[in-house]
Amino acid sequence: MPIEFGRDTLHEKIGAGGMAEVYRATSVGAGGFEKQFAIKRILDQHAEDGEFINMFMDEARIAAALNHPNIAQVFEFDQHAGVWFLAMEYVAGRNLARVLKVARERDRRFGVGAALHVGMEVCKGLYAAHRAKDARGVAMGIIHRDISPQNVQISFAGDVKILDFGVAKARDKIVRTQAGTIRGKLIYMAPEQVRAKALDHRADLFSLGLVLYKALTGVHPFEADTELKVIEKIRLAEIAPPSSLVADLPPGLDDVVMRALALDPADRHPNAADLHRELTRILHESDPGFTFASLSDYMVDLFGEELEPAVGATLAPTVGTPPVDSGSPRESAPREREASVRTVELGPPTPSFVVADSVGDRTEEEPSSASVGRIGGLGKLLALCVFVGTVLGVVGAMGL
């Protein structure tokens, strides 16, 4: 049943998390004009939560400053009937996590050309975000901090867009991340992120390297059966080259991916443009005919049975509401890692974790990639391990 929401109309719900819900929305005008977009609004029980409203404002300000074809757009941040909301771009397609899952289930490999093309497009969006300046011309210092397959959206037209700047770091945020706090999906974090050290844009490049690795091989290098083992793998970053798992990769691709996944940020690509250049070179040498149209054909072929009017659109939701596949009208919409951000606080000097509580169906087989701290005791143990490991590292460096 459509819901009137100010001058707009809300249709089916396409996402819900612990803090907000997301609807497909339309706005109509003269002469048969109709615009489709998405509305994310705070849940009634959190309408007076000042900290979350401030986080919502931060999210809106960061996203509004980023006008790039590879970044999902935020159009408006406002209040209606006491409810804060974001009006956002509605992207008809699927997130990369969903694409990889369905491709595996249907034995339809996500090819090397597709992986390289998606990586190149994400690089362009990240380069714009990392270099963004405010209206005064001052660098905003944006770090996404949550690059993952769930936050890479592929449209049926072959577009690639970065989603969800909800936990992004920026210079003038209202809500500051406390020292020692970790934000993002655990299994896609850079080693320095897990260690709660100072971050720069190269942390996003490491995360993108993991996305590329997953897309190329179907395997995540940090997969493990417990969160403790995941953290240890991230801290060490001992990763086998993609060619050890897939035999037919183009020459030079191992070097590019492994450079992005270097343990030391200084050994990674200096910026997203440099990574883009290397991926572009390999694509042009190995599959020069692959373009956005090739990606579009793959998406339509993979999800053809689901392509019906007003179906198959995934929003670019932000903090608290990761992307949700709306599915077919013949079945309820599967929820992919819907989340509400919370913090496991242990008090100084132990790091705390800002994590996502997974709800509903997972899109990948990666264990707890968004669930550090979902059990209080385990969350504390994980944070304690990080802290103890950091202390031991310092003691070792001092030769004590």
Side-chain angles (χ1 to χ4, degrees), residues 98-219:
R98 177 69 173 167
V99 172
L100 296 177
K101 179 178 184 294
V102 174
R104 182 175 65 248
E105 292 173 346
R106 299 180 182 177
D107 196 25
R108 291 291 314 282
R109 181 184 178 187
F110 192 72
V112 174
L116 291 173
H117 179 82
V118 168
M120 289 160 51
E121 296 299 285
V122 173
C123 280
K124 290 193 285 187
L126 283 178
Y127 189 66
H130 294 160
R131 290 167 51 89
K133 297 181 179 180
D134 62 19
R136 299 168 294 172
V138 179
M140 297 180 67
I142 295 174
I143 308 170
H144 188 282
R145 294 198 294 191
D146 199 16
I147 294 296
S148 66
Q150 292 77 17
N151 288 333
V152 174
Q153 180 73 7
I154 305 175
S155 81
F156 294 121
D159 301 316
V160 179
K161 294 178 182 286
I162 300 172
L163 312 179
D164 197 348
F165 281 78
V167 298
K169 181 178 180 181
R171 179 177 49 81
D172 287 335
K173 289 184 68 173
I174 301 171
V175 178
R176 294 289 182 179
T177 301
Q178 296 181 0
T181 297
I182 298 173
R183 293 182 181 269
K185 294 181 183 68
L186 171 64
I187 206 165
Y188 283 96
M189 288 183 182
E192 62 271 25
Q193 200 169 356
V194 166
R195 295 170 185 265
K197 292 186 176 181
L199 302 180
D200 64 18
H201 62 280
R202 292 171 295 184
D204 285 344
L205 301 186
F206 187 95
S207 298
L208 178 54
L210 291 174
V211 172
L212 284 167
Y213 197 103
K214 175 74 175 182
L216 289 166
T217 68
V219 175

Side-chain angles (χ1 to χ4, degrees), residues 264-324:
D264 187 344
D267 294 331
R268 298 174 201 158
H269 302 84
N271 52 58
D274 190 71
L275 177 54
H276 178 272
R277 279 191 292 270
E278 294 197 1
L279 294 175
T280 301
R281 173 180 55 80
I282 293 175
L283 180 61
H284 287 172
E285 292 173 352
S286 62
D287 194 356
F290 195 97
T291 68
F292 73 93
S294 309
L295 186 59
S296 173
D297 290 343
Y298 178 85
M299 290 290 292
V300 171
D301 184 53
L302 189 63
F303 294 100
E305 296 178 358
E306 303 175 22
L307 297 184
E308 299 178 15
V311 173
T314 302
L315 164 70
T318 42
V319 64
T321 314
V324 178

